[in-house]
Amino acid sequence: MTTQTAPARSDDLRAALEGCARRDPASLRHLYERLAPQMIGVALRMLRRRDLAEEVVHDTFVRVWERARSFDPERGEPASWIFAILRNRTLDVLRGEARTELVEDFEPYALADETQGAEDAMGALSRSGALRQCLERLEPQRRQAIVLAYTRGLTHGELAGRLGLPLGTVKSWIRRGLLALRECMA
């Protein structure tokens, strides 16, 4: 009985991936409904934090959507391909989170706190410079995240840990902030 359901499931997932490649949202929803609970369980076992596990699963489905055209059924099963993306994304987060735990305070960076460091960096910019003017248009917390990321070399995971925010929030702030800066500077 298992041998009959496994190929059917594989065919079902393959069809859903093909639908994602054609940009069919219903296919992505189908993949999510079939695989997300198991994926969250795997990510939770690796990360030991539900919020991070959910973020990683979300990121995985975004990547599946973006890369569905690159899936090659000759090279493996759909579930294996999706779970490989999940595993790689989870390991990326673990590496970022591990770096966060190594740095307990900002004293090695000569910063009392994140706000002071970001504002000090802002102060170093020319008052009339275009970059400073564009940065000042951003919301203070988003500006802080971007400035710390670029002046102190903090990763998304390190920023999330320092700011006490979910990883996905920090990633969204950085991505949207950089898009706003690009538009402003153009």
Side-chain angles (χ1 to χ4, degrees), residues 29 78 87 106:
R29 185 173 28 259
R87 178 184 171 278
F106 275 104

Side-chain angles (χ1 to χ4, degrees), residues 48-66:
R48 296 193 171 120
R49 281 184 50 192
R50 182 148 192 101
D51 61 330
L52 287 178
E54 290 173 355
E55 291 286 341
V56 165
V57 170
H58 175 267
D59 287 353
T60 299
F61 279 105
V62 169
R63 290 178 185 200
V64 166
W65 178 257
E66 292 170 346

Side-chain angles (χ1 to χ4, degrees), residues 7 14 17 19 23 34 36 55 60 120:
R14 188 174 295 115
L17 272 176
R23 297 296 186 235
R34 294 289 306 271
E55 291 286 341
T60 299
D120 287 346

Side-chain angles (χ1 to χ4, degrees), residues 129-143:
L131 178 58
R132 182 186 182 108
Q133 291 174 0
C134 291
L135 280 168
E136 287 176 346
R137 292 181 184 178
L138 297 176
E139 218 175 275
Q141 282 187 307
R142 293 173 191 218
R143 176 176 59 237

Side-chain angles (χ1 to χ4, degrees), residues 35-47:
L35 298 175
Q38 185 181 3
M39 292 170 70
I40 288 174
V42 169
L44 190 56
R45 279 192 298 279
M46 292 177 75
L47 296 168

